[in-house]
């Protein structure tokens, strides 16, 4: 996700937050529905108190659907929260440098210093 997918779609993620946390969290949440077992956490019980299957490999395939609903909800909250934060930031300070600043260099225009001294 960090190298191949980011290169494929060309999105800007300098800290690889989506590639690491977004993809890793999604895969982890989905696989929780696969590998969850009653021997680890007997969360479901029948009326007699006997533990019921928890994850897919334990005999409960519907858990995958529950995990997918949870993933969709988490993605929705993250997407809406990101858009709101981006719009608020754009209103307050802006999120894009001008073309002139980009041409001159952001180190110089934003911080007043050069990152590299290329003079010989």
């Amino acid at each position: 996700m960090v190298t191949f997918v980011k290169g494929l779609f060309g999105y800007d993620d300098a800290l690889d937050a989506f590639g690491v946390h977004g993809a890793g969290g999604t895969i982890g949440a989905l696989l929780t529905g696969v590998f969850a077992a009653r021997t680890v956490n007997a969360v479901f019980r029948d009326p007699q108190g006997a533990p019921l299957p928890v994850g897919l490999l334990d005999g409960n395939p519907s858990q995958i659907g529950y995990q997918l609903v949870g993933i969709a909800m988490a993605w929705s909250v993250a997407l809406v929260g990101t858009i709101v934060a981006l719009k608020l930031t754009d209103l307050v300070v802006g999120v894009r440098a001008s073309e002139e600043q980009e041409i001159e260099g952001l180190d110089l225009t934003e911080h007043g210093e050069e990152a590299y001294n290329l003079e010989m």
Side-chain angles (χ1 to χ4, degrees):
M1 287 301 291
V2 172
T3 56
F4 179 73
V5 174
K6 185 165 74 169
L8 183 67
F9 290 108
Y11 61 87
D12 184 15
D13 187 6
L15 300 177
D16 293 320
F18 174 75
V20 173
H21 300 286
T26 299
I27 292 168
L30 188 60
L31 290 178
T32 297
V34 173
F35 294 113
R38 62 184 149 208
T39 56
V40 175
N41 186 6
V43 66
F44 304 128
R45 297 188 179 271
D46 65 12
Q48 290 76 30
L52 294 172
V54 181
L56 176 67
L57 296 180
D58 204 27
N60 183 11
S62 63
Q63 188 62 38
I64 296 292
Y66 300 137
Q67 295 300 113
L68 288 172
V69 169
I71 290 167
M73 291 173 60
W75 276 44
S76 299
V77 169
L79 181 63
V80 169
T82 299
I83 291 171
V84 168
L86 183 63
K87 293 296 182 184
L88 287 174
T89 302
D90 194 28
L91 285 172
V92 175
V93 295
V95 292
R96 182 68 194 233
S98 69
E99 188 175 349
E100 295 82 24
Q101 289 174 320
E102 288 182 0
I103 291 170
E104 189 174 341
L106 295 179
D107 287 322
L108 189 58
T109 60
E110 296 290 315
H111 308 292
E113 56 186 41
E114 292 185 49
Y116 306 100
N117 185 0
L118 299 177
E119 296 175 12
M120 300 286 184

